[in-house]
Every structure is written in C-alpha cells, then in structure tokens.
Amino acid sequence: MLATKLPTAQIRANPHIESSVKLLKRQYNALSEMLNIGSGFGWNEKEKCLTTSKDVFDDWVRSHPTTAGLRNKLFLIFDDLIQIFGKERATGAAAETAADAVENLTAEDEGVKDSVEEIGASN
C-alpha cells in the first residue's frame, strides 16, 4: 500500500514503520512511568514536555538508561500516544487490549446480525 501511494519513498512497514512505532511506544511508556510515580516529575501541558529537576532526572536515568534523552524533549503528540498506547498499560478486570476490542466489536456485530435475522424470520 505504501509503494502504491508513495512509489519513490522506499518506505516499508518493516522495518521503517515498525521501528518508529516501537520507539514511540518505548518513549511513551517511560514518560508514563515517570509521571505515574509523581515524585519530582511533572508535565508541562503548554510546552508538551516532561518537567523535572536535573538531579531527579539524572537519578532516574541511572536505573533507566534508555530514558536519557527525554528531559526537555517536546512530545507534541503525547495526548495521541495516550489514546494509542494508554490502554496497553492498564491492568485489572476492566483493561482491554486492542485485540480484545476487535474481538468484542466482532462479537457485538455478530450479535446484532443474529438479532436482525431473528426479527426477519419471525415476520
């Protein structure tokens, strides 16, 4: 599909798009974890970036070295990433993965189809 729409781009789903998605997911998960612990970390909604002191961030990076570049980095699409990846971090009985959502929608569609067929058969 990419080759059809962008024939000269030479972009492939694997590895180009998949690696970008993995990077965004890794960055989102790191930011989410920092913001969830709360201690010393905050979010600047106007600037769309993580806020923390250098000392707090440096302490964090010692145990999470892959997060080194996230301080003062702009994440203009962070709200979108919450919508995309946020449910994957949820836990508990009400948590739903993307696969669960598709399965539930399919089941609902089949249920509606069965109901319509029953109504049609009774008429």
Side-chain angles (χ1 to χ4, degrees):
M1 196 164 143
L2 284 169
T4 303
K5 297 290 183 180
L6 305 166
T8 60
Q10 297 182 2
I11 296 174
R12 296 188 344 219
N14 186 4
H16 300 108
I17 295 172
E18 286 181 12
S19 64
S20 294
V21 170
K22 284 180 185 178
L23 174 63
L24 285 171
K25 186 174 185 177
R26 187 172 52 245
Q27 290 175 334
Y28 166 78
N29 287 337
L31 286 170
S32 181
E33 187 175 350
M34 285 184 254
L35 294 170
N36 284 335
I37 65 164
S39 181
F41 293 100
W43 182 254
N44 181 330
E45 187 62 35
K46 182 179 177 188
E47 298 291 325
K48 299 287 186 189
C49 66
L50 181 71
T51 59
T52 187
S53 69
K54 183 171 177 4
D55 294 339
V56 169
F57 189 75
D58 289 345
D59 286 343
W60 179 266
V61 169
R62 281 188 198 98
S63 60
H64 303 83
T66 60
T67 63
L70 298 181
R71 184 169 182 257
N72 297 326
K73 180 176 176 141
L74 298 179
F75 284 92
L76 301 176
I77 61 168
F78 189 71
D79 294 333
D80 296 326
L81 296 179
I82 291 170
Q83 296 298 314
I84 296 167
F85 300 127
K87 205 57 158 168
E88 292 181 17
R89 293 185 58 86
T91 57
E96 181 179 65
T97 65
D100 292 336
V102 169
E103 186 176 319
N104 290 338
L105 286 173
T106 302
E108 288 174 15
D109 288 346
E110 289 174 6
V112 169
K113 180 180 172 187
D114 291 344
S115 296
V116 169
E117 287 174 357
E118 287 175 20
I119 292 169
S122 66
N123 287 334

